[in-house]
Amino acid sequence: MSKNLLLKAGGTGALILALVILFFPKQAASQRNIVLNMPNYDQELFHFGFVLGVNQSFVTIRPIANLNSYTFTRSYMPEDILPTPDSARVLSVTARSIPGFVISILANMRMGDHFDLRFLPSLAFGDRTLEYNIRTFTAIPGGTDSALFTKTKKVPSTYISFPLEIRYKAFRYNNFRPYLLVGAQYSLDLASNAKKREAKNRDEKIVKFNASDFYAEAGVGFDFYNEWFKFGVELKMMYGFLDVLKHENNIYTESIEKLNSKIFQLSLTFE
């Protein structure tokens, strides 16, 4: 994990702690003065609520074998590499992410004293950027002209997701209860078709993702029982199983063998 990501995680942890102290001051009081809020809440079969969260969408890139030495011919050159070279090599492909947000509806079914089954249909937004370092080669009288440049491709996404999760809850301690979760989800990217992006960028070749993906989920959370509702803080990671890159026989897509999605999400739940 990079130093910048660790700094972000530290800042997020401080924000969570501040929210907990601000909105739930009773939790920080002496245990002798604790009043048990909603004592029968966990005995109910069904609960409903909503989720607000922020996410960070990453990609795991597996480049083709011998990427640095593989030469792409002129037929693989898209229209945004001008003047069109005779051949080119992709020296590296890296990815950057842009923070997004998510909104979910929550339905919870009790499966026992320690287990819950949850369904959370969600609408999420998140952008990713791919950066290509490319060296081009063009034949000129007396030799070959070479140029080195970087191409940046932004891939925005709008997801409709259908996560199904199982939670294991520890024993409740006063008005606090931690839990672990595992699950799976199907996700549909509404922006994958990219027709509007193609219309706006006719002189640039855009990189597209496939619409469907399946994710495995794992995470940890903390529930805080307030007087009238239950508030939760949850952090989870989702890893996609499918290659989401749409291969279109150009230097941007054929330099990558496989590309998987990976999402970190910090959520606030209200039930």
Side-chain angles (χ1 to χ4, degrees):
M1 186 177 291
S2 68
K3 182 178 180 181
N4 290 337
L5 190 57
L6 287 173
L7 291 174
K8 289 180 181 178
T12 300
L15 177 60
I16 294 173
L17 181 60
L19 287 173
V20 171
I21 294 174
L22 179 62
F23 290 104
F24 297 91
K26 290 183 180 180
Q27 254 65 348
S30 169
Q31 298 299 328
R32 292 174 298 176
N33 298 326
I34 286 291
V35 175
L36 197 63
N37 296 322
M38 299 188 295
N40 299 319
Y41 183 89
D42 291 326
Q43 302 305 313
E44 298 175 10
L45 181 60
F46 292 104
H47 297 120
F48 300 94
F50 65 94
V51 179
L52 301 176
V54 293
N55 60 36
Q56 194 86 5
S57 299
F58 298 89
V59 292
T60 301
I61 299 173
R62 182 192 296 174
I64 60 173
N66 303 317
L67 174 66
N68 293 337
S69 59
Y70 188 90
T71 300
F72 292 92
T73 61
R74 192 183 185 94
S75 62
Y76 286 90
M77 300 302 132
E79 56 271 19
D80 58 354
I81 299 181
L82 294 173
T84 305
D86 295 319
S87 62
R89 291 178 181 174
V90 178
L91 304 182
S92 65
V93 186
T94 57
R96 292 186 294 107
S97 66
I98 301 172
F101 64 95
V102 60
I103 303 172
S104 305
I105 299 172
L106 186 157
N108 186 98
M109 184 178 74
R110 181 176 182 269
M111 299 175 63
D113 291 338
H114 294 282
F115 289 94
D116 288 337
L117 180 65
R118 285 195 160 192
F119 180 55
L120 300 98
S122 307
L123 178 65
F125 303 87
D127 296 345
R128 284 157 285 195
T129 299
L130 303 179
E131 292 185 351
Y132 298 81
N133 290 319
I134 301 174
R135 182 178 294 278
T136 60
F137 303 93
T138 305
I140 59 174
T144 301
D145 183 35
S146 176
L148 180 64
F149 63 94
T150 299
K151 278 286 185 179
T152 301
K153 299 295 178 181
K154 184 178 179 181
V155 187
S157 296
T158 303
Y159 297 104
I160 294 179
S161 302
F162 302 95
L164 191 64
E165 302 172 352
I166 294 177
R167 295 198 312 163
Y168 171 75
K169 304 176 295 184
F171 286 100
R172 176 173 173 173
Y173 182 71
N174 293 323
N175 291 319
F176 170 78
R177 191 168 193 175
Y179 63 86
L180 300 174
L181 69 88
V182 293
Q185 76 170 20
Y186 168 73
S187 183
L188 180 66
D189 188 356
L190 302 180
S192 61
N193 197 14
K195 290 183 178 180
K196 291 184 178 180
R197 283 197 292 144
E198 285 184 323
K200 292 180 180 179
N201 303 278
R202 294 184 179 181
D203 296 330
E204 181 180 352
K205 184 65 180 178
I206 66 173
V207 175
K208 307 172 189 175
F209 285 173
N210 293 317
S212 297
D213 200 3
F214 292 93
Y215 290 82
E217 301 182 359
V220 61
F222 306 92
D223 283 335
F224 301 90
Y225 296 79
N226 200 14
E227 186 175 358
W228 302 107
F229 66 96
K230 187 177 72 171
F231 170 81
V233 179
E234 180 178 289
L235 178 65
K236 67 180 178 181
M237 189 272 279
M238 295 159 276
Y239 189 84
F241 290 114
L242 303 182
D243 178 12
V244 295
L245 181 65
K246 191 170 185 178
H247 294 270
E248 296 188 315
N249 295 319
N250 61 65
I251 195 172
Y252 302 126
T253 61
E254 301 314 301
S255 57
I256 298 174
E257 180 181 336
K258 189 176 182 181
L259 188 150
N260 296 95
S261 293
K262 184 167 58 177
I263 302 173
F264 289 91
Q265 181 173 305
L266 176 66
S267 304
L268 304 179
T269 64
F270 302 86
E271 299 178 60

